[in-house]
Amino acid sequence: MALLNARNLVVLATFALLALAPAYAAWVETPFYLDLGRRMMILAIGALSLNLIMGFGGMISFGHAVYIGIGAYTVGICAFHEVTSGFVQWPLALAISAAVALVFGVISLRTRGVYFIMITLALAQMTFYLGISLDQYGGDDGLTVYAPSDFAGLIDVDDDLSFYYVVFVLLALCLWFSQRLIRSRFGMVLQGARQNEGRMEAIGVPVFRYKLTAFVIAGTMAGLAGALLANHTDFVNPEMAHWTRSGDLIIMVLLGGMGSIAGPIVGAAAFLLLEELLSGVTEYWQVIFGPFLILVVLYARGGILGFLSRKDGGDG
Amino acid sequence: MLSVRDMETSYGASQVLFGMTLDVAAGEVVTLMGRNGMGKTTTVRSIMGLTPTQGGTVVFDGARIDGLPSYRIARAGIGLVPEGRQIFPNLTVRENLVATAHNRLGAARPWTLDRVFDRFPALAARAGGMGSELSGGEQQMLAISRALMTNPRLLILDEATEGLAPRIRAEIWRCLAELKADGQAILVIDKNLAALARIADRHYIIEKGAVVWSGSAAALEADPGLQHRYLGV
């Protein structure tokens, strides 16, 4: 496989654009680009995490945004109770997301296919309505995060540029971690089980445990995206965990390339760019985006990176 | 080593095994023969826990394994080469072998990647290629190698030579003979009586889900009527 093929170039270009976005935003004096880039990267972490279970494990979760919501609410609720230390908030967000993913995984991974989709959707909606019922924390209206996560001067999350590069580094780390995980024996088992679970079990692999571990890792990573999102928006609301947000994550994965490690990053960037461009054309931008997505699914299976791989001669 | 007693298995309302009984001792090569649809693959699936049994017992190395999940049965030391090869086409050859390797610490002379590649040089040459890119014969070698990488005390092969070119078949029989010489216990299902006769210590013939004859390779060879009646030879 050539190192500098079209798909690797697109991934590198995406990272280069994200790295240079703050300079461009400063040059054109449009802080919005900084905001857009940061949002892209946060959602890319969420999409990367979904790709671990969906793209490599065949677990199509329609409730993955729940963990983003949990991560965000953990930061929001901590701040509400004046616990602003990021050293407390962020690990707590990850731990609670992991714990909820463990419980939801134990329940949902007993099913497969459409039943798995339905059960993750049901659990997600249950969590969404739990968020609405939290009147103390704003209920349906959400909760403003008045104080950003405080890292005792080590990182200034309140500074737009510092926070931008914190998210950038975390995205790069999540990508590195995903790559290591998928290329490990654990990742091989996950991919084999996607193909045929029974076959994998018959050779001595406790597939349920592997899938549950992947589910918890993905939930934890999405919880990190939630903690970042709460600091990005200074606001949390139950909508963050709504099933339509999970649908957005699925679209990002499909758009970038399901089962391609870096695909979700390209997918998240493409999704938000298209959203920005098309919403400038019409309020009902989904009317244009929908047919575009259908074309991608029909004619560019494997998403943008899959399409580029075929152009390169099929590697990857 | 393996002792199956009065095993009964059904698919819904349709019973397939009616009191299946067989034994495999350590270091022994035993065959399970019979016409198509008599319950050979169901016997293997039932031993491996892939199809639930309704009655009887399966004991392996002194411990009951019937009712256990299939991964625990495999971990106990039974390696399966399933019918139809069933490799993982979305993994490379190397990944197919590494992903499921285990039980190495308990084995006197464990199967490692190097040992497998020494035994099947064709796989070594395709180590980085995807499973889906292999020929039928290479896929079968990979399926056998994958089972060996679990360092099984008992190896079960279900129709391992079916649909393969004569040259590949010969290679697989040669491999099984080597394994036998190393003391590997093997339960093999196949239709090639001549090849089986060369390596097997004992045969079981099953008809309608139950053993109708068992005996030595010499006894089966000496009875053409038996071969004709149950095996259609």
Side-chain angles (χ1 to χ4, degrees), chain A residues 185 188-189 191-192 194-196 198-206 209, chain B residues 48 70-71 74-75 86-88 90-91 95 98-102 146 150:
Chain A
R185 189 169 176 268
M188 293 173 202
V189 168
Q191 292 173 80
R194 184 190 68 187
Q195 193 99 52
N196 191 321
R199 195 180 304 170
M200 199 50 101
E201 290 243 351
I203 314 165
V205 178
R209 276 186 233 162
Chain B
M48 292 304 298
S70 54
Y71 77 86
R75 290 254 159 180
Q86 302 196 9
I87 58 147
F88 298 108
N90 59 338
L91 298 181
E95 288 170 344
V98 170
T100 54
H102 56 83
R146 187 181 61 186
T150 67

Side-chain angles (χ1 to χ4, degrees), chain B residues 111-190:
Chain B
W111 283 93
T112 61
L113 211 50
D114 288 341
R115 192 175 166 203
V116 160
F117 285 159
D118 278 348
R119 180 62 198 77
F120 295 111
L123 293 182
R126 309 289 300 269
M130 301 303 286
S132 57
E133 295 164 0
L134 300 181
S135 68
E138 288 168 338
Q139 285 190 19
Q140 191 57 271
M141 290 176 197
L142 180 57
I144 293 171
S145 303
R146 187 181 61 186
L148 290 174
M149 286 289 281
T150 67
N151 292 291
R153 288 196 292 286
L154 171 66
L155 181 66
I156 301 180
L157 298 103
D158 189 358
E159 305 279 12
T161 62
E162 194 176 56
L164 297 180
R167 186 177 57 83
I168 307 292
R169 258 189 251 166
E171 170 66 21
I172 287 169
W173 289 121
R174 207 163 31 245
C175 171
L176 294 185
E178 286 174 21
L179 289 172
K180 184 190 177 185
D182 279 352
Q184 174 72 58
I186 305 172
L187 173 62
V188 54
I189 294 173
D190 209 282

Side-chain angles (χ1 to χ4, degrees), chain A residues 15-40:
Chain A
F15 264 93
L17 284 175
L18 289 170
L20 296 173
Y24 180 71
W27 184 42
V28 296
E29 295 179 351
T30 312
F32 169 74
Y33 291 127
L34 200 64
D35 187 79
L36 180 66
R38 204 164 57 197
R39 191 170 155 74
M40 272 178 191

Side-chain angles (χ1 to χ4, degrees), chain B:
Chain B
M1 173 175 264
L2 177 74
S3 174
V4 178
R5 289 286 171 273
D6 304 319
M7 189 163 71
E8 300 198 350
T9 304
S10 304
Y11 292 107
S14 167
Q15 188 165 350
V16 178
L17 298 184
F18 297 85
M20 186 72 198
T21 292
L22 65 88
D23 293 286
V24 182
E28 197 180 27
V29 175
V30 173
T31 76
L32 195 56
M33 293 190 285
R35 290 192 172 95
N36 286 341
M38 290 299 146
K40 302 187 295 291
T41 294
T42 302
T43 300
V44 168
R45 290 185 59 84
S46 300
I47 292 170
M48 292 304 298
L50 294 166
T51 301
T53 56
Q54 274 75 48
T57 58
V58 183
V59 175
F60 182 67
D61 273 352
R64 275 188 73 164
I65 58 169
D66 49 288
L68 293 180
S70 54
Y71 77 86
R72 286 188 56 192
I73 294 171
R75 290 254 159 180
I78 303 181
L80 172 67
V81 180
E83 189 179 19
R85 296 151 207 154
Q86 302 196 9
I87 58 147
F88 298 108
N90 59 338
L91 298 181
T92 65
V93 168
R94 186 187 297 273
E95 288 170 344
N96 261 280
L97 296 170
V98 170
T100 54
H102 56 83
N103 284 348
R104 189 175 295 177
L105 293 176
R109 197 172 152 235
W111 283 93
T112 61
L113 211 50
D114 288 341
R115 192 175 166 203
V116 160
F117 285 159
D118 278 348
R119 180 62 198 77
F120 295 111
L123 293 182
R126 309 289 300 269
M130 301 303 286
S132 57
E133 295 164 0
L134 300 181
S135 68
E138 288 168 338
Q139 285 190 19
Q140 191 57 271
M141 290 176 197
L142 180 57
I144 293 171
S145 303
R146 187 181 61 186
L148 290 174
M149 286 289 281
T150 67
N151 292 291
R153 288 196 292 286
L154 171 66
L155 181 66
I156 301 180
L157 298 103
D158 189 358
E159 305 279 12
T161 62
E162 194 176 56
L164 297 180
R167 186 177 57 83
I168 307 292
R169 258 189 251 166
E171 170 66 21
I172 287 169
W173 289 121
R174 207 163 31 245
C175 171
L176 294 185
E178 286 174 21
L179 289 172
K180 184 190 177 185
D182 279 352
Q184 174 72 58
I186 305 172
L187 173 62
V188 54
I189 294 173
D190 209 282
K191 294 189 180 71
N192 191 333
L193 190 58
L196 288 174
R198 280 197 297 275
I199 66 160
D201 297 302
R202 289 188 301 115
H203 299 289
Y204 285 95
I205 297 179
I206 67 170
E207 177 98 343
K208 293 179 182 169
V211 173
V212 289
W213 183 89
S214 67
S216 68
L220 180 62
E221 208 166 2
D223 192 343
L226 184 73
Q227 295 177 29
H228 179 72
R229 192 158 61 248
Y230 293 116
L231 305 174
V233 178

Side-chain angles (χ1 to χ4, degrees), chain A:
Chain A
M1 188 174 96
L3 204 61
L4 279 182
N5 55 28
R7 66 183 278 156
N8 286 351
L9 281 174
V10 165
V11 176
L12 282 174
T14 306
F15 264 93
L17 284 175
L18 289 170
L20 296 173
Y24 180 71
W27 184 42
V28 296
E29 295 179 351
T30 312
F32 169 74
Y33 291 127
L34 200 64
D35 187 79
L36 180 66
R38 204 164 57 197
R39 191 170 155 74
M40 272 178 191
M41 294 190 291
I42 292 170
L43 290 179
I45 292 174
L48 265 179
S49 69
L50 176 63
N51 192 38
L52 283 180
I53 55 169
M54 189 171 99
F56 295 100
M59 296 169 258
I60 304 170
S61 169
F62 237 100
H64 202 63
V66 157
Y67 311 107
I68 293 183
I70 288 168
Y73 260 91
T74 305
V75 169
I77 291 172
C78 281
F80 179 81
H81 291 290
E82 295 176 2
V83 178
T84 55
S85 169
F87 295 116
V88 175
Q89 286 180 346
W90 290 23
L92 197 61
L94 266 59
I96 295 175
S97 302
V100 173
L102 178 67
V103 174
F104 283 6
V106 165
I107 298 167
S108 58
L109 289 171
R110 295 182 188 283
T111 61
R112 288 179 203 169
V114 73
Y115 301 103
F116 179 79
I117 294 172
M118 292 312 293
I119 206 162
T120 52
L121 179 63
L123 291 168
Q125 285 304 88
M126 193 184 79
T127 313
F128 169 73
Y129 285 110
L130 179 72
I132 284 181
S133 70
L134 294 174
D135 289 333
Q136 190 189 357
Y137 304 115
D140 202 5
D141 294 330
L143 179 67
T144 300
V145 183
Y146 288 106
S149 300
D150 176 19
F151 285 92
L154 201 67
I155 308 163
D156 187 3
V157 172
D158 207 17
D159 176 69
D160 278 349
L161 193 61
S162 301
F163 186 38
Y164 185 94
Y165 282 111
V166 165
V167 177
F168 183 83
V169 169
L170 286 173
L171 173 64
L173 284 174
C174 286
L175 178 65
W176 173 80
F177 174 75
S178 300
Q179 194 163 31
R180 296 283 303 202
L181 191 74
I182 291 307
R183 290 184 180 166
S184 70
R185 189 169 176 268
F186 178 89
M188 293 173 202
V189 168
L190 204 59
Q191 292 173 80
R194 184 190 68 187
Q195 193 99 52
N196 191 321
E197 249 182 85
R199 195 180 304 170
M200 199 50 101
E201 290 243 351
I203 314 165
V205 178
V207 172
F208 180 83
R209 276 186 233 162
Y210 277 80
K211 287 174 74 173
L212 183 61
T213 306
F215 199 83
V216 172
I217 290 171
T220 310
M221 205 189 280
L224 172 67
L228 295 171
L229 195 61
N231 280 283
H232 170 74
T233 56
D234 300 327
F235 178 74
V236 295
N237 72 352
E239 278 294 316
M240 287 174 166
H242 195 255
W243 72 270
T244 52
R245 297 283 84 81
S246 299
D248 287 347
L249 292 175
I250 291 175
I251 291 170
M252 288 171 201
V253 173
L254 288 174
L255 200 57
M258 188 167 77
S260 131
I261 294 169
I265 298 174
V266 177
F271 180 85
L272 290 182
L273 277 177
L274 283 167
E275 184 183 5
E276 281 307 318
L277 289 172
L278 298 177
S279 58
V281 177
T282 169
E283 186 184 343
Y284 307 103
W285 62 275
Q286 291 95 336
V287 173
I288 306 170
F289 185 76
F292 172 74
L293 189 66
I294 290 169
L295 288 175
V296 168
V297 171
L298 285 178
Y299 298 108
R301 284 188 190 176
I304 295 168
L305 292 192
F307 178 74
L308 292 173
S309 283
R310 283 194 291 279
K311 288 279 215 187
D312 278 338
D315 58 349

